Amino acid sequence: MGRKFWVGGNWKMNGVKKEIDGIINFLQAGPISPDVEVVVGVPALYLEYVKNKLPCSVAASAQNAYKVPKGAFTGEISPAMIQDIGVCWVILGHSERRNVFGECDELVAEKVAHALESGLCVVACIGEKLEEREAGQTEAVVFRQMEAIACKICDWTNVVVAYEPVWAIGTGKTATPQQAQDVHRKLREWLCTNVSECVAETTRIVYGGSVTAANCKELAQEEDIDGFLVGGASLKPEFIQIINAKAC
Ligand code: PGA
């Protein structure tokens, strides 16, 4: 028992040094509850810069990585490179990677497998689109995405699953606590049936999609919501309130 609450900030393609310094300032000022694991997803170019300035209670994460250690893949970075600069996390399968850059379930799964084999911790993102939810396919879609990833994972210790309904990302349209809890519970049941009871009990399943200081506390009350992956609000001082959503 005792899944440690996990809050990630996904900066996406935002922030040049001046703005990044502002974010680092409010992260340094905190306060950050010791009961929360905090990770920020940084544009690759700034990973080392940010890593060296973050308070020790906050870890840096890459936002993507390719499925092999090195080679002729112009523009890509590998888990080996991320590790080489002392960064331990990578976000994979984010809806923008899937839907803007066309990453399929299989590629996401290969990336997850390689990142884990390389020793990184992975935030594996899944979530349905609006038309899929409206067609009653939410469960089928997230189970399909989980299945693709799960069949390539041997050890779940370093995996956080982020459930991010695509219709809630960057739209201001947060899932209600009940909507999020329903999917989180089903995902946990899926893990129990298809992986193991222990993995279902211990794996953090975090919610993402228009999380703000105003809605985080209510979401954090839900039994199967073990934290958040936060986009827009992670660039602002209110991120501190989101980090502490469960703690105070
Ligand atoms: P949002 O983004 O909080 O801006 O909706 C969440 C995400 O994409 O991870």
Side-chain angles (χ1 to χ4, degrees):
M1 285 308 287
R3 296 181 295 270
K4 189 170 186 179
F5 206 70
W6 186 99
V7 177
N10 179 7
W11 296 357
K12 311 192 180 185
M13 197 177 73
N14 291 298
V16 289
K17 278 188 188 169
K18 197 169 163 228
E19 289 149 349
I20 286 173
D21 288 346
I23 298 172
I24 288 167
N25 283 345
F26 71 67
L27 288 172
Q28 275 165 347
I32 290 179
S33 161
D35 300 332
V36 186
E37 188 169 0
V38 184
V39 174
V40 286
V42 178
L45 192 63
Y46 295 118
L47 267 175
E48 197 160 23
Y49 177 78
V50 169
K51 184 202 147 256
N52 292 331
K53 292 187 159 210
L54 282 172
C56 56
S57 51
V58 180
S61 173
Q63 299 177 4
N64 187 24
Y66 200 49
K67 61 177 180 175
V68 291
K70 61 179 179 176
F73 302 102
T74 303
E76 294 293 314
I77 61 169
S78 73
M81 293 168 179
I82 294 167
Q83 276 208 318
D84 190 41
I85 60 161
V87 168
C88 304
W89 284 91
V90 63
I91 299 169
L92 293 170
H94 188 275
S95 86
E96 286 140 24
R97 297 304 318 170
R98 292 176 185 268
N99 300 313
V100 181
F101 299 99
E103 294 190 10
C104 63
D105 289 346
E106 179 63 16
L107 177 59
V108 172
E110 286 172 344
K111 288 181 168 195
V112 169
H114 178 62
L116 290 172
E117 278 159 21
S118 309
L120 289 180
C121 298
V122 170
V123 186
C125 305
I126 59 175
E128 83 288 359
K129 294 186 203 165
L130 182 60
E131 59 267 30
E132 293 166 334
R133 174 163 282 261
E134 285 174 347
Q137 293 168 346
T138 299
E139 211 173 295
V141 170
V142 296
F143 286 179
R144 189 201 73 220
Q145 293 168 330
M146 275 288 264
E147 168 82 38
I149 294 167
C151 47
K152 293 214 162 40
I153 300 180
C154 318
D155 181 351
W156 286 75
T157 317
N158 294 334
V159 180
V160 167
V161 174
Y163 167 60
E164 302 200 291
V166 179
W167 48 271
I169 296 179
T171 57
K173 241 180 128 183
T174 324
T176 65
Q178 194 57 54
Q179 282 175 321
Q181 165 62 20
D182 286 349
V183 179
H184 283 231
R185 163 146 313 154
K186 282 176 187 150
L187 289 169
R188 204 173 303 287
E189 284 166 4
W190 188 95
L191 285 173
C192 189
T193 310
N194 296 282
V195 184
S196 74
E197 202 180 325
C198 175
V199 165
E201 268 308 308
T202 53
T203 302
R204 271 89 53 98
I205 305 176
V206 304
Y207 168 80
S210 297
V211 176
T212 63
N215 59 32
C216 63
K217 284 199 174 169
E218 223 190 328
L219 286 159
Q221 301 293 312
E222 296 294 338
E223 195 184 330
D224 290 290
I225 299 181
D226 303 316
F228 303 116
L229 185 55
V230 185
S234 72
L235 304 168
K236 304 178 200 161
E238 73 176 278
F239 186 53
I240 299 294
Q241 286 163 265
I242 300 172
I243 289 171
N244 297 315
K246 188 110 183 181
C248 48

